[in-house]
Amino acid sequence: MFSELKFPVPWGHVAAKAWGPSEGHPVLCLHGWLDNANTFDKLIPLLPRGCYYVAMDFSGHGLSSHRPAGCPYHFLDYVTDVRRVAAALQWRRFTLMGHSMGGAVAGMFCFLYPEMVDKLILLESLGFLLAPEDTEEWLKSKRKVIDRLLSLEAKQQTPKARSPEAALQRLLEANSHLTAEGGAILLQRGATETPAGLVYNRDMRARTQSREFFTVEQCVKLLQKIQDRVLIIVSQDGLLVPHNLPSRNHFVKALQEAFESTLKEHIQLAEVPGSHFVHLNEPKMVSGIISNFLTSQNTRARL
């Protein structure tokens, strides 16, 4: 059983859902890009029952309000969403668990507010968005954010309505790592029924987010500051395993090499069978590892 939560913000509200006793150890769960809080629906019931889990919808996702007209979605705004929710819950210290983009948001929050985070769990995320090594590529990515935002505003498109079957099919086509069951779970919170059919809840502007990038050297220095409190889970058929990465993503390989050398005594890195959405498709593959990490006193889970 879970309960729905709403946290007022200046442009509306941030929505969330919660499991467990409110007096339990607090765990804030962050979903991936264009997903929603339902991404944790199958995982959280398998985790220690003594914790209080709150899975939030980032602004412009799930049941949360869209940002005001004219505003782009900056990566740091998602970090601010986390700080707002923590303040509303009056949490002074808590665990962060993030999937994919949510892991990058969790990592950034941890670096900015290390005193507020006791443990960091990253699912199919390295805790960073790594910078393009080519300056022109970096400039192109920033320009694209502005151009796409202005293009969306000029078109003023009405969100397209689809039949439930078509809405699910479109979601699965865009997310090859999702199963039909997992897609249906995300769609329950990610779309609203209208007379014309299902309309996706997510703000179209969220597709044009402006990201915060780090170099590999910066990543290593930041990770060393939060040693002994990090669990990273990657899937064998996910997006981060080196042999699945295209050559242009060699910086991800470089960061993983840093994990194995400089940081291996401080960060737990586990590889499990499954896809990018293993926590949703096959939650038992990761629930034991996460449970051990949550309950271990010295934060060193037995993998």
Side-chain angles (χ1 to χ4, degrees), residues 12-297:
H13 68 268
V14 169
K17 55 196 304 185
W19 294 258
S22 58
E23 69 277 9
H25 178 76
V27 181
L28 189 59
C29 308
L30 311 178
H31 64 77
W33 182 53
L34 303 181
D35 298 332
N36 57 67
N38 276 15
T39 195
F40 297 104
D41 273 13
K42 293 179 68 179
L43 173 61
I44 289 177
L46 302 178
L47 300 182
R49 297 189 176 184
C51 295
Y52 183 48
Y53 304 92
V54 175
M56 58 181 281
D57 293 324
F58 287 123
S59 296
H61 296 70
L63 301 181
S64 289
S65 300
H66 295 187
R67 292 197 176 276
C71 294
Y73 281 76
H74 292 290
F75 178 79
L76 204 59
D77 292 335
Y78 295 131
V79 184
T80 306
D81 286 346
V82 173
R83 187 64 185 88
R84 290 181 187 274
V85 168
L89 290 166
Q90 297 183 320
W91 287 356
R92 299 182 64 181
R93 192 164 171 81
F94 54 95
T95 295
L96 270 173
M97 177 165 62
H99 171 244
S100 196
M101 184 195 80
V105 174
M108 177 66 86
F109 184 91
C110 195
F111 305 141
L112 295 177
Y113 298 96
E115 74 282 3
M116 296 185 70
V117 181
D118 59 3
K119 298 180 183 180
L120 177 63
I121 301 168
L122 303 175
L123 304 172
E124 274 285 286
S125 170
L126 301 180
F128 302 95
L129 297 172
L130 295 170
E133 294 188 346
D134 182 73
T135 302
E136 289 303 315
E137 284 297 314
W138 180 83
L139 291 173
K140 191 183 298 182
S141 71
K142 295 298 182 184
R143 175 171 173 158
K144 189 180 294 184
V145 169
I146 297 172
D147 290 346
R148 283 183 176 176
L149 176 66
L150 297 182
S151 175
L152 279 174
E153 291 177 350
K155 291 177 182 177
Q156 294 185 327
Q157 289 179 322
T158 302
K160 184 177 180 179
R162 295 176 170 87
S163 69
E165 296 77 16
L168 177 58
Q169 184 61 33
R170 176 69 187 90
L171 185 61
L172 296 178
E173 288 173 356
N175 296 274
S176 61
H177 290 253
L178 269 178
T179 62
E181 181 187 9
I185 290 172
L186 289 179
L187 206 57
Q188 289 171 7
R189 195 176 184 88
T192 297
E193 191 171 346
T194 71
L198 287 182
V199 174
Y200 293 138
N201 292 339
R202 62 196 183 207
D203 191 335
M204 293 177 69
R205 292 173 296 168
R207 298 179 65 90
T208 64
Q209 63 162 317
S210 179
R211 302 178 177 184
E212 297 286 337
F213 294 119
F214 291 98
T215 64
V216 171
E217 290 74 20
Q218 288 172 322
C219 294
V220 171
K221 287 182 180 179
L222 289 169
L223 282 169
Q224 286 173 327
K225 291 180 179 295
I226 54 171
Q227 60 187 18
D228 289 332
R229 293 185 285 143
V230 184
L231 170 64
I232 299 176
I233 299 178
V234 297
S235 304
Q236 290 175 356
D237 296 312
L239 301 183
L240 298 176
V241 176
H243 62 75
N244 289 342
L245 293 168
S247 58
R248 64 183 177 82
N249 282 340
H250 67 275
F251 48 74
V252 177
K253 296 180 185 179
L255 183 55
Q256 288 198 329
E257 288 172 0
F259 288 162
E260 293 299 318
S261 56
T262 312
L263 305 167
K264 67 179 180 180
E265 297 301 321
H266 309 302
I267 292 177
Q268 300 171 48
L269 180 61
E271 186 175 316
V272 299
S275 71
H276 186 59
F277 282 89
V278 64
H279 68 290
L280 176 59
N281 297 336
E282 302 169 278
K284 290 183 180 179
M285 288 291 181
V286 298
S287 59
I289 299 170
I290 296 171
S291 295
N292 285 344
F293 184 75
L294 285 172
T295 56
S296 59
Q297 294 300 313

